């Protein structure tokens, strides 16, 4: 019996959605994301305009928060990333001396 393909076989995909929200609506989006991340099963569903993106988020992720003030505009960016290849993720957590295998 063949095992399902690893997640690293997923092709490159990008979804982008931009809209104007009031603070309460923006808070609801962020609260929903936070609740899904904290849920423990690792499955997150994002509503992007008329579509949805379903993601499986591993236990360990990388997070970057950036605040930029430029030309009278403030930008707050939250980037959450992880690798789809479980083997690469394990290697990235090992000390450099152990990665030489």
């Amino acid at each position: 019996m063949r095992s399902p393909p690893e997640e690293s076989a997923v092709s490159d995909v990008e979804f982008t959605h931009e809209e104007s929200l009031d603070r309460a609506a923006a808070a609801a989006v962020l609260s929903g994301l936070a609740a899904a991340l904290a849920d423990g099963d690792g499955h997150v569903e994002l509503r992007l305009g008329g579509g949805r993106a379903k993601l499986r988020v591993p236990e360990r992720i990388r997070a970057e928060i950036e605040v930029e003030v430029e030309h009278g505009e403030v930008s707050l960016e939250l980037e959450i990333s992880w690798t789809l290849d479980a083997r690469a993720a394990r290697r990235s957590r090992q000390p450099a001396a152990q990665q030489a295998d």
Side-chain angles (χ1 to χ4, degrees), residues 6-13 84:
E6 288 189 35
E7 290 180 16
S8 61
V10 173
S11 63
D12 293 343
V13 176
L84 292 176

Side-chain angles (χ1 to χ4, degrees), residues 18 30 33 62-70 73-81:
E18 186 174 319
L30 293 172
L33 175 58
R62 289 179 306 281
E64 178 181 338
I65 299 172
E66 179 182 329
V67 177
E68 182 178 344
V69 180
E70 187 174 66
E73 183 172 286
V74 178
S75 175
L76 169 63
E77 296 179 18
L78 168 62
E79 181 176 317
I80 299 172
S81 59

Side-chain angles (χ1 to χ4, degrees), residues 21-32:
L21 302 171
D22 62 25
R23 281 194 326 256
V29 170
L30 293 172
S31 294

Side-chain angles (χ1 to χ4, degrees), residues 2 5 7 19-20 26 40 42 52 56 61 76-78 88 94:
R2 294 177 62 190
E7 290 180 16
E19 66 182 309
S20 180
R52 287 185 268 177
R56 191 190 71 68
I61 60 173
L76 169 63
E77 296 179 18
L78 168 62
Q94 292 177 349

Side-chain angles (χ1 to χ4, degrees), residues 20-54:
S20 180
L21 302 171
D22 62 25
R23 281 194 326 256
V29 170
L30 293 172
S31 294
L33 175 58
L37 288 171
D39 186 28
D41 72 355
H43 290 87
V44 174
E45 183 175 319
L46 301 173
R47 296 195 192 298
L48 302 170
R52 287 185 268 177
K54 294 182 180 182

